[in-house]
Amino acid sequence: MPLSQTRLDFDPARDGFSFANSFRWTEVDLWFLDRMVRSLAVTGATVLPAAAATLTGGRRGLVAGTALGLVLGRVGLAAGLVRAGARQWASFGLCGGMALAAAERWPHRAGLTTAELREENVRLLLWRRQARTLRASGRTFIRYWFAARSGRTAFGKDLRREWAAIREEIDADRPVVLGLVGDAPDPFSQHQVLAYGYAGTDDRGTLFVYDPNCPGKEKTIAFTLADAHAHITTDLLVGPTARGSYHISTRPGHLDMVFRVPVV
């Protein structure tokens, strides 16, 4: 198949946030986390632990996910546990919120660029967008993560479908929020980024992405498809961490699945 490519005029140094995806808890954050827990419970969400993807790092995500799950039975108690659990950890992340907010602000033609926005002035915006990405992708993250952990990674057909949808969105001048899945032992160590360009054929391709963990830098995700299998590599920081845990995958530079988060 002939090579096709589209690259939007999205520059991570201008259209992404200048601060990294690492935040320290404030009362505003804890207030919004309480609200998000209650909202998810009222809507009858069945994957509340996936909301712990708002937190980066292994055990931090697990603590928050457990607390959020308890909301199925006791909304008030769960909210209290979330606050107590969150305060045990110094920092948290809002990767999905940052990716979605950057997509919504592009192309920005007047006023401050996204890179000029101050963290404290957009905190609630990022929380709201984070909640949207979790509602849109929680079940999908869990489904692919379970499969990756069990070694059932014949995702070729799924990735082929996602690849076509991603190209269609970018061809229509719409950046795409992506969910990244690996086999890390902690299901809450998964990640979200924003794709703004691609190059490839039906069977192989490269995605150009803004990673909230690496402000100002372009990152790539590359893959090849062969029958039912997909081989996905990336220059994102993936694999073992200095703290002895894992980010997304147990293998450096390897992903098991990439999918479109249907929020934009």
Side-chain angles (χ1 to χ4, degrees), residues 25-253:
W25 291 105
T26 67
E27 280 300 315
V28 172
D29 300 311
L30 295 170
W31 170 80
F32 194 89
L33 189 59
D34 285 353
R35 284 175 56 90
M36 187 169 71
V37 168
R38 294 174 185 272
S39 174
L40 289 171
V42 168
T43 58
T46 59
V47 288
L48 286 172
T54 57
L55 309 177
T56 56
R59 291 183 299 164
R60 288 178 290 163
L62 186 59
V63 169
T66 301
L68 283 165
L70 291 175
V71 79
L72 288 171
R74 297 184 180 182
V75 175
L77 175 61
L81 287 175
V82 168
R83 292 174 66 89
R87 284 192 175 280
Q88 297 183 46
W89 312 106
S91 62
F92 65 96
L94 296 168
C95 57
M98 294 176 71
L100 178 54
E104 290 178 334
R105 285 182 55 80
W106 181 89
H108 193 71
R109 304 303 186 194
L112 296 176
T113 66
T114 299
E116 294 176 283
L117 298 177
R118 297 175 60 87
E119 171 190 324
E120 60 270 22
N121 294 337
V122 295
R123 195 71 153 251
L124 281 181
L125 169 67
L126 299 183
W127 270 107
R128 293 188 183 101
R129 298 305 182 263
Q130 180 78 12
R132 280 182 58 189
T133 64
L134 291 178
R135 285 193 294 267
S137 65
R139 289 180 177 86
T140 306
F141 267 116
I142 294 299
R143 175 165 59 89
Y144 284 126
W145 176 80
F146 270 121
R149 286 295 296 167
S150 64
R152 294 181 285 107
T153 57
F155 298 146
K157 182 177 179 181
D158 289 11
L159 184 56
R160 190 181 298 275
R161 181 186 65 245
E162 293 296 327
W163 173 229
I166 291 166
R167 286 183 292 171
E168 182 177 346
E169 290 291 309
I170 294 176
D171 286 343
D173 293 332
R174 292 188 293 265
V176 184
V177 179
L178 301 178
L180 310 184
V181 181
D183 65 343
D186 185 346
F188 310 116
S189 65
Q190 310 303 292
H191 193 41
Q192 296 183 75
V193 298
L194 183 68
Y196 53 84
Y198 73 84
T201 68
D202 287 345
D203 297 319
R204 63 179 63 240
T206 298
L207 291 164
F208 305 101
V209 304
Y210 156 57
D211 177 10
N213 288 346
C214 299
K217 298 179 180 180
E218 177 174 278
K219 294 295 183 177
T220 60
I221 299 168
F223 70 89
T224 57
L225 297 169
D227 299 323
H229 298 282
H231 179 65
I232 311 172
T233 59
T234 181
D235 61 358
L236 275 72
L237 298 176
V238 173
T241 70
R243 300 175 181 176
S245 59
Y246 298 93
H247 180 54
I248 307 179
S249 175
T250 59
R251 291 168 285 177

